[in-house]
Amino acid sequence: MDSRRVTKWRTAIVVLVCVLMMVGGKSLRAQSGSGSITGTVTDQRGQAVAGATVVVASPSKIVQTVTSGADGKFAVSGLGAGTYSVETSATGFGTDVRRNVVVTAGETASVPVGLSVASVSEEVTVEAEADSSIAVQNAPVKALLDAASARTEITSGYIRDFTSPVTDFSDITQAAPGTVTWSVNGIGNGQAKTYYRGFADGNYTMTWDGVPFQDSNDPTHHSWAYVPAPAISYVDFDRSPGTASDIGPANFGGSIHMFSPKLGDAPLLKGSESYGSFNTNEFLGEINSGAFAKGKAHFWLEGHHMTSDGYQTNNFQARTAATAKFDYKFSDSTYLTLVGTSVLVDSNTPNNDATRAQLAQFGDNYLMDSTKTLSSGNLDPFYYRFYTYHVPTNFEVVTLTSDLGKGWKIDLKPYTYSYSNHQHYNNYFGSDFGQAKQAKGSIANDAINKLNQYNRLGGILSLSGASQYGVFRTGLWYEYTNTNRYQQGSNPLTWVDSQLISDLKFHEHFRTQSVQPYAEYQLVAIPKWTITVGVKDAFYQMVLKQFADGKTVGSLGCAKGSTIAGCPNFVTHGANYNSWLPSFEANYRIRDNWSAYAQYGRGSVIPPSSVFDVTGAQVAVTPKPIVASTYQGGSVVKLNRVSFDGDFYYIHYQSNYSSFTPSSGPDSGFTFYYQNPASNTYGVEGEGNFALTRALSFFVNGTYGQAKYESAAAQAATATAPAVAASTSAWVANTPNYTATEGLTYRDKRFDFGMFNKTVGDRWQDDGPYHQAVPLNPFTMTNVFLNYTVRGGSLFEQSKIKLSVNNLLDNHDQVSISPANSVTANGVPYTPNAADTIQLLPGRSFMVTFQIGLSPKER
């Protein structure tokens, strides 16, 4: 009777708050039993590890979580007869998982645990899923008690249950405090960028299973092409430069670490179809072999195909992708993992947004036309078939980990990935492209054939050793990249290229080498303290070959109108960049469930290849790497019903640079670069989860702060720099003064419900060199998710029905504006113009998913 009353009370709360009726069965209660599991946690030297987290789980759920004592011992009792897994983790050590531990009624199973020192990639997984707090178990995102920087763990449960089936990694990152992102064509239907703490895409590092990935001309990312959502199990979002062992091209803004799914021992077969608004349809198949080869090996394969008309008119999208993972245990000390993904994207997305006038005339979702010819008989420059993207990518990572004995461990990670973005687009209007449609005659020779293609080979070597005092880590990241890029005039009707140099827009081939050796020491000998000090050297070498093009670098002595075959002239040049980057961080464990931390770190990013995109490619002095220094501190608290973490930060960022080419004097024709005013970013962030009942939780996160450029005095002209007017402090583009997220989640054995409302505060956009030029009002997005999943060890385990609603309130807020005319020169304020190009939030969308899961019955 009491159980039924509890269930009705929970249901009544959900109905009252969410205006949504959910019908479900009673929660299954853990069955009492007399079996138990005991063990002792030790390190490589056989010494006891105190404070290790030990999680005992059945094949369907976590049963108990305990902590090892001062002698390293732990005990879990009251277990029903059956098979369990035991997962053990501790600061500085890799996670140890013991599967198929058999518990018999009336007996005790002994499980001795020997932890080995963690590799860099393992370090971020500690505590990710092993929490005993009800608030933490139900939280969509989590913080780590062991963290020494502002980090958010975006859980696999959140990604699985509270994101759209066609989501991408940019949408997933919205769960972290302060992030700003949007997708104008609907979730997963095009490229989306993420901003946070005043940093735009390209000013932070992204990794998949520990390997950084980015464009080769500058380190931006492509949410529609790399690492599809099914290849992401969970995300470690580190909003800091990290320690010396955090490698990558742009760590100063932080690192978003994504991880592939963990492979379980039970075989599983899944198939699903998702269909929804904008005629979006996705088919997905997944197979997990379970353990084979005497329990030493696992294999997982996922493939999916998605098509969509998109929210915007004629912005069609198609994505086909597959991911595979294999692991093999050679011995208790040596493991091998192979993982790879391949993605093929095709779309009709143009280079430009719709104008204010077009949106007013044709509707908020206008972008392109479906007719080839205008009523005047001229070709329609907005015909969607005049715009195509074809983007194949692949990404492969091999990880070999071996315990060398006496506390030493080696981790070797060779990898490769490739990206090929082949685009055709009509360019007839040039700067007038965004104007309202009008007949302007022939466009037969005014399109662009564009290619950005690169292949990367690299490797990450990590060596670590544990002693009674702590863990020493050293290693090296090396990467070699070969890039080919061009833009050439083309006919949009036939896509036959024009070979005239005057029509060739751009062509370059370059090679880049990246080397980052590092060393750090994590001291754990002082009670309650973990202190890590390290240093990293970031070295890059770039060698470019730029061909005569008649425009960007010029003809290089070739006669105008010469063909490429008759004009092989090119110019070769190179640049080396180097930065020494120290780091320091400390974590103090105030209590077992409460910690505080502080950090200082530096990071850098090298100039893009475009610094040589000047006449003759004549650069007198290359600009230096951009360096940022970050200071931050925070605290993490985990109570049974409440979990909370907060931080404050200050970042000094040297900012970008401008160029100047003297027209006279001894340096005439050479380009010089000079530093723009630096920016300063500071603020506070926080996130928390409040367990109202065992199943119902309230989640909240928010940020408040500012990111502004430093004011600068006027500067007189010199031989290598122009006169610069005085500037006042102005906001960094796309940085809101606040963000806020509220969420309500209900998680039972079979039902999951989530409602998340995110508000992004006032922002500014730049107008060329003018900052704080175009104001943007706040925007809000509300998403709702409802899932029913088959549980309980049946044959149809993990079969699911899922309903997703994005932008529930159907907001069409403006999220980006590009002004048609210069608006801040001579103090002229911004006023709306019919020719402004606009980005809007996509309208409300629905999606329903039917998933069939087949697995052996639980014994």
Side-chain angles (χ1 to χ4, degrees):
M1 185 66 178
D2 292 340
S3 177
R4 285 193 292 270
R5 287 175 179 172
V6 170
T7 302
K8 291 179 181 178
W9 181 61
R10 290 177 177 174
T11 304
I13 292 177
V14 177
V15 172
L16 178 63
V17 179
C18 309
V19 201
L20 181 68
M21 179 67 71
M22 296 188 295
V23 180
K26 293 184 293 182
S27 299
L28 295 180
R29 303 290 182 182
Q31 300 298 314
S32 61
S34 56
S36 61
I37 296 175
T38 63
T40 302
V41 184
T42 59
D43 60 18
Q44 300 99 316
R45 296 166 289 115
Q47 296 185 353
V49 177
T53 301
V54 182
V55 181
V56 176
S58 71
S60 61
K61 64 179 180 179
I62 293 176
V63 178
Q64 287 191 46
T65 301
V66 297
T67 301
S68 64
D71 55 1
K73 293 182 179 180
F74 67 91
V76 179
S77 59
L79 299 175
T83 302
Y84 296 84
S85 66
V86 179
E87 179 176 317
T88 308
S89 60
T91 302
F93 294 92
T95 301
D96 178 87
V97 180
R98 302 297 176 92
R99 297 182 173 92
N100 300 321
V101 177
V102 178
V103 173
T104 304
E107 297 184 5
T108 298
S110 179
V111 182
V113 177
L115 296 180
S116 59
V117 65
S119 65
V120 174
S121 60
E122 289 174 319
E123 202 42 33
V124 298
T125 70
V126 177
E127 290 189 273
E129 300 294 342
D131 287 290
S132 57
S133 160
I134 296 174
V136 177
Q137 288 178 5
N138 292 333
V141 302
K142 304 178 182 181
L144 307 181
L145 285 167
D146 291 332
S149 62
R151 283 167 56 178
T152 296
E153 306 297 307
I154 304 175
T155 66
S156 57
Y158 172 82
I159 297 173
R160 179 183 63 247
D161 297 326
F162 300 137
T163 62
S164 168
V166 295
T167 191
D168 54 41
F169 61 67
S170 186
D171 177 53
I172 291 171
T173 62
Q174 290 215 79
T179 54
V180 180
T181 186
W182 61 86
S183 179
V184 294
N185 200 35
I187 299 298
N189 283 331
Q191 288 203 91
K193 303 296 184 182
T194 299
Y195 305 80
Y196 62 92
R197 284 190 173 183
F199 294 117
D201 182 60
N203 286 337
Y204 50 83
T205 289
M206 298 197 76
T207 71
W208 185 52
D209 278 6
V211 174
F213 64 93
Q214 72 282 334
D215 256 2
S216 57
N217 53 308
D218 83 55
T220 53
H221 313 94
H222 303 285
S223 61
W224 66 346
Y226 271 128
V227 193
I232 305 171
S233 175
Y234 65 100
V235 179
D236 173 74
F237 196 143
D238 187 351
R239 299 181 300 280
S240 82
T243 65
S245 60
D246 285 292
I247 51 91
N251 283 26
F252 65 87
S255 296
I256 300 176
H257 301 291
M258 300 180 290
F259 293 90
S260 61
K262 296 180 180 180
L263 305 187
D265 286 339
L268 177 65
L269 181 66
K270 291 183 185 178
S272 69
E273 180 179 6
S274 301
Y275 184 79
S277 302
F278 324 138
N279 194 29
T280 301
N281 198 6
E282 179 181 85
F283 296 94
L284 183 146
E286 180 179 339
I287 182 171
N288 187 341
S289 69
F292 65 96
K294 298 182 179 180
K296 294 183 177 181
H298 304 80
F299 177 74
W300 171 75
L301 175 66
E302 173 276 330
H304 68 271
H305 177 68
M306 187 275 289
T307 58
S308 178
D309 293 346
Y311 171 70
Q312 297 173 314
T313 58
N314 300 295
N315 191 358
F316 304 108
Q317 305 283 316
R319 182 180 67 242
T320 303
T323 308
K325 185 174 183 179
F326 170 81
D327 64 35
Y328 188 81
K329 179 181 178 181
F330 290 100
S331 67
D332 288 339
S333 61
T334 304
Y335 301 84
L336 173 70
T337 301
L338 311 175
V339 64
T341 186
S342 180
V343 182
L344 176 61
V345 172
D346 288 287
S347 84
N348 296 97
T349 307
N351 276 15
N352 300 76
D353 300 310
T355 66
R356 192 184 299 275
Q358 289 171 333
L359 295 174
Q361 182 178 359
F362 302 110
D364 281 354
N365 68 331
Y366 175 78
L367 187 64
M368 290 177 291
D369 297 338
S370 59
T371 56
K372 183 178 179 180
T373 307
L374 299 172
S375 58
S376 63
N378 294 320
L379 294 173
D380 183 352
F382 296 98
Y383 179 45
Y384 77 94
R385 288 190 178 274
F386 291 160
Y387 307 89
T388 65
Y389 268 101
H390 180 69
V391 188
T393 69
N394 65 278
F395 199 163
E396 296 84 31
V397 182
V398 179
T399 303
L400 180 64
T401 302
S402 183
D403 191 332
L404 304 178
K406 297 184 178 181
W408 288 93
K409 185 176 184 180
I410 190 170
D411 188 282
L412 181 62
K413 197 182 293 285
Y415 65 88
T416 181
Y417 64 92
S418 300
Y419 175 85
S420 181
N421 177 354
H422 200 174
Q423 181 186 8
H424 290 93
Y425 60 94
N426 177 30
N427 199 45
Y428 177 64
F429 282 133
S431 60
D432 295 330
F433 179 90
Q435 306 268 348
K437 292 188 300 180
Q438 51 187 301
K440 284 197 172 184
S442 173
I443 62 171
N445 292 299
D446 215 54
I448 296 293
N449 173 9
K450 178 180 178 181
L451 179 72
N452 180 17
Q453 184 179 78
Y454 53 84
N455 298 283
R456 275 196 158 103
L457 294 170
I460 303 169
L461 173 64
S462 304
L463 180 66
S464 52
S467 70
Q468 60 183 326
Y469 302 108
V471 181
F472 171 73
R473 296 186 181 90
T474 186
L476 175 76
W477 171 45
Y478 173 79
E479 186 174 84
Y480 174 85
T481 308
N482 192 6
T483 302
N484 183 32
R485 301 175 66 225
Y486 65 71
Q487 297 180 22
Q488 182 162 323
S490 185
N491 186 323
L493 300 174
T494 62
W495 295 126
V496 174
D497 292 342
S498 169
Q499 295 299 313
L500 295 179
I501 280 186
S502 58
D503 291 335
L504 180 62
K505 307 297 182 184
F506 182 76
H507 188 194
E508 71 176 5
H509 174 266
F510 60 91
R511 303 184 307 276
T512 307
Q513 295 189 83
S514 309
V515 185
Q516 285 188 12
Y518 67 86
E520 68 181 28
Y521 192 79
Q522 184 180 53
L523 178 68
V524 297
I526 305 174
K528 296 187 177 182
W529 283 93
T530 301
I531 300 172
T532 306
V533 179
V535 66
K536 172 172 56 187
D537 179 32
F539 175 80
Y540 301 86
Q541 181 186 73
M542 184 178 292
V543 178
L544 297 94
K545 177 187 289 186
Q546 291 183 284
F547 294 88
D549 55 25
K551 181 180 180 182
T552 303
V553 298
S555 59
L556 300 179
C558 299
K560 185 175 180 180
S562 300
T563 64
I564 294 296
C567 184
N569 290 26
F570 58 84
V571 60
T572 301
H573 41 77
N576 294 337
Y577 305 97
N578 194 75
S579 301
W580 287 95
L581 306 173
S583 65
F584 169 84
E585 62 180 32
N587 176 286
Y588 179 70
R589 187 64 67 93
I590 302 170
R591 300 184 63 180
D592 288 344
N593 60 352
W594 182 16
S595 66
Y597 62 82
Q599 184 198 54
Y600 163 74
R602 294 183 70 198
S604 66
V605 62
I606 66 171
S609 63
S610 60
V611 298
F612 290 99
D613 294 346
V614 296
T615 302
Q618 298 184 88
V619 177
V621 179
T622 56
K624 296 180 179 180
I626 297 172
V627 177
S629 297
T630 298
Y631 305 81
Q632 61 183 343
S635 186
V636 179
V637 179
K638 295 186 177 183
L639 306 176
N640 188 42
R641 293 282 183 174
V642 177
S643 65
F644 176 80
D645 63 277
D647 66 88
F648 62 90
Y649 60 90
Y650 168 76
I651 305 169
H652 180 74
Y653 176 46
Q654 289 184 356
S655 190
N656 293 313
Y657 31 73
S658 297
S659 63
F660 175 66
T661 304
S663 58
S664 61
D667 295 315
S668 174
F670 283 89
T671 298
F672 293 83
Y673 287 88
Y674 58 95
Q675 203 80 36
N676 290 331
S679 66
N680 295 297
T681 303
Y682 59 86
V684 293
E685 303 168 324
E687 57 189 347
N689 198 55
F690 305 87
L692 305 178
T693 70
R694 180 166 289 276
L696 184 67
S697 294
F698 177 68
F699 169 76
V700 62
N701 73 31
T703 64
Y704 179 79
Q706 70 172 31
K708 286 188 174 183
Y709 296 101
E710 295 179 347
S711 58
Q715 297 181 14
T718 67
T720 59
V724 178
S727 62
T728 58
S729 180
W731 278 88
V732 175
N734 283 309
T735 304
N737 59 350
Y738 75 92
T739 66
T741 300
E742 308 87 26
L744 193 71
T745 63
Y746 179 90
R747 303 183 72 98
D748 209 340
K749 186 173 180 64
R750 293 179 174 85
F751 281 98
D752 300 292
F753 170 79
M755 174 181 286
F756 300 90
N757 180 78
K758 181 160 189 174
T759 301
V760 175
D762 296 284
R763 296 169 295 139
W764 293 88
Q765 286 193 273
D766 294 345
D767 175 32
Y770 302 105
H771 304 304
Q772 198 169 319
V774 183
L776 289 169
N777 294 326
F779 71 88
T780 300
M781 177 74 78
T782 304
N783 300 329
V784 178
F785 306 91
L786 177 63
N787 313 296
Y788 175 80
T789 306
V790 176
R791 305 287 190 186
S794 72
L795 176 64
F796 294 98
E797 178 85 6
Q798 295 192 42
S799 294
K800 174 186 289 189
I801 299 176
K802 178 175 184 176
L803 174 65
S804 307
V805 184
N806 287 94
N807 195 4
L808 176 69
L809 304 180
D810 199 28
N811 290 329
H812 293 251
D813 299 324
Q814 293 181 1
V815 290
S816 179
I817 302 174
S818 295
N821 301 306
S822 182
V823 297
T824 57
N826 301 318
V828 177
Y830 168 75
T831 54
N833 187 301
D836 294 342
T837 54
I838 307 291
Q839 289 187 350
L840 303 173
L841 285 180
R844 181 192 300 117
S845 63
F846 299 85
M847 180 163 285
V848 61
T849 299
F850 298 95
Q851 174 180 297
I852 298 296
L854 298 175
S855 63
K857 293 183 179 180
E858 182 178 338
R859 297 179 181 178

